[in-house]
Amino acid sequence: MNTDILTIAIDGPAASGKGTISRAIAAKFGLRHLDTGLLYRAVAACCARAKADPSDPEAAARIAQTLSPEDLNRADLRSAQTGRMASVVAAHPPVRAALLRWQRDFAVGAPGAVLDGRDIGTVVLPDARAKLFVTAEADVRAARRWRELSLKSDIAYRDVLRDIHERDERDAGRANAPMRRAENAATLDTTEMSIERAVDEAIRLIEAQV
Ligand code: CDP
């Protein structure tokens, strides 16, 4: 990989703060940003629209192979239901294979990029110049996600918490590209941090690596 291109991998579970942190890091270092979760969410939403079974690897892979940039702008991608289905399609190896090239192509363009997801530091960009694993206690993450979702829909905290636990288990337990901290990633636990403090800490941890 071209060493002039700065690639930064940010992984972590749902609602750990990695999205906000990744956008701030991209702005700070003048890089492009890809929220890779959106790719899996788009595959899930397109499955629903096509009435395809998200638990069928072949059907989901066909959709992943023909995903278009417009599919990433759909309005329903951030819903709890789409997040749940995203973690189902994300467990299929052919879906992950189809999305791998998309992610790497995005990363290698100048001046570089910040990618956030579950397997960026381990699988997508194992040679990233800087790596961060952002985490927080599940109940704190559920409270954050509930605050976001309850602005748009009537949803109970306990359902959000259950969803977070189920998604953590599915994402960390799958055989192919499970969510885990890369050995050379710095860990940032945001449980007790405001988002401003988490961003400051993330910048400090990244600056120490680049
Ligand atoms: O925003 P949130 O953290 O809730 O989820 P997301 O980053 O949008 O990801 C949605 C789902 O996509 C996750 O639960 C994972 O199952 C899957 N995903 C993945 O497998 N690998 C990635 N690099 C990114 C997301």
Side-chain angles (χ1 to χ4, degrees):
M1 183 175 281
N2 182 339
T3 49
D4 294 338
I5 292 187
L6 177 56
T7 49
I8 300 179
I10 302 189
D11 290 302
S16 54
K18 66 184 189 313
T20 307
I21 288 171
S22 300
R23 282 190 294 278
I25 297 283
K28 166 85 184 167
F29 291 90
L31 302 173
R32 294 164 304 115
H33 169 232
L34 179 64
D35 168 0
T36 65
L38 267 192
L39 300 174
Y40 294 92
R41 285 174 179 266
V43 172
C46 290
C47 272
R49 191 179 42 187
K51 300 207 181 338
D53 178 2
S55 60
D56 174 352
E58 304 309 322
R62 272 194 298 278
I63 286 175
Q65 283 150 6
T66 54
L67 204 65
S68 73
E70 297 77 63
D71 292 325
L72 303 185
N73 296 325
R74 293 167 52 93
D76 51 350
L77 298 188
R78 294 281 172 203
S79 72
Q81 164 75 359
T82 306
R84 211 161 25 244
M85 286 304 111
S87 82
V88 173
V89 300
H92 305 320
V95 169
R96 304 200 73 84
L99 298 181
L100 188 58
R101 169 172 293 237
W102 181 318
Q103 296 171 77
R104 287 191 177 150
D105 285 350
F106 183 91
V108 297
V114 179
L115 269 65
D116 77 84
R118 302 290 189 287
D119 63 336
I120 308 302
T122 50
V123 174
V124 179
L125 301 175
D127 298 327
R129 283 255 288 283
K131 297 182 185 179
L132 199 57
F133 191 82
V134 185
T135 186
E137 297 294 337
D139 56 339
V140 170
R141 289 188 284 120
R144 291 175 186 163
R145 186 48 54 91
W146 177 79
R147 275 197 298 275
E148 278 167 29
L149 292 171
S150 62
L151 294 176
K152 293 189 204 144
S153 62
D154 191 14
I155 187 161
Y157 167 78
R158 66 172 184 283
D159 291 338
V160 178
L161 180 62
R162 191 188 56 223
D163 192 56
I164 291 261
H165 279 305
E166 282 175 7
R167 220 135 61 83
D168 283 356
E169 267 173 41
R170 217 168 13 235
D171 290 347
R174 66 183 172 225
N176 188 242
M179 171 178 70
R180 65 177 176 78
R181 190 182 75 83
E183 268 172 27
N184 52 355
T187 300
L188 177 61
D189 186 333
T190 67
T191 304
E192 311 239 320
M193 291 181 188
S194 65
I195 192 63
E196 293 78 14
R197 165 95 195 284
V199 166
D200 287 348
E201 285 294 314
I203 290 173
R204 197 179 58 75
L205 291 168
I206 300 282
E207 278 176 337
Q209 296 177 64
V210 296

